[in-house]
Amino acid sequence: QVQLVESGGGSVQAGGSLRLSCIASGSFFGINPMGWYRQVPGKQRELVADMYTGGRTNYADSVKGRFAISRDNAKNTVYLQMNNLKPEDTAVYYCKAVVISNPPRFRENEYWGQGSQVTVSS
């Protein structure tokens, strides 16, 4: 069993910053990738950013240059630094991890955090 616990959500004025954190606990071989999605009412959940252990990253075009993802692999933790926040960034942010189980099977399973509300006021 794997659990993802998020922290760092909240309310901020436009132009402000927040940092989200997510830590994975349990028994597993690895996590690849690990990252963040967001969702607003009436819309599909969308990728914000994710990161592989080797350093490769993906970002939504709407957040490039403003958000930065990082990982501490030893701590099974992923962060999302959000700068110059805009009202359109308002959403529930979910941590996502693709977890690889221990040998010999190396099976992949997808896990989600509980969701963190981020509200940006104009």
Side-chain angles (χ1 to χ4, degrees):
Q1 184 179 344
V2 177
Q3 186 175 10
L4 305 181
V5 179
E6 305 173 16
S7 61
S11 298
V12 67
Q13 295 181 13
S17 298
L18 288 171
R19 190 175 81 148
L20 302 179
S21 301
C22 174
I23 183 167
S25 62
S27 180
F28 45 83
F29 179 77
I31 302 174
N32 231 12
M34 195 173 187
W36 296 91
Y37 287 67
R38 66 187 181 188
Q39 189 170 27
V40 299
K43 295 186 65 177
Q44 291 289 319
R45 191 171 298 183
E46 66 174 359
L47 173 71
V48 179
D50 64 11
M51 190 173 188
Y52 288 78
T53 54
R56 190 184 75 187
T57 59
N58 297 296
Y59 289 94
D61 288 340
S62 59
V63 308
K64 287 181 179 177
R66 300 188 298 118
F67 291 10
I69 190 169
S70 60
R71 287 181 65 168
D72 186 335
N73 293 329
K75 296 181 179 179
N76 299 312
T77 301
V78 66
Y79 306 93
L80 186 67
Q81 179 66 47
M82 302 183 291
N83 297 324
N84 192 24
L85 282 160
K86 302 177 180 180
E88 51 263 44
D89 296 316
T90 296
V92 177
Y93 285 70
Y94 295 91
C95 180
K96 178 193 172 184
V98 179
V99 176
I100 298 92
S101 66
N102 286 320
R105 282 188 269 189
F106 297 103
R107 298 168 69 171
E108 295 184 349
N109 291 100
E110 187 175 284
Y111 291 88
W112 294 89
Q114 77 275 16
S116 300
Q117 179 68 49
V118 172
T119 301
V120 184
S121 301
S122 61

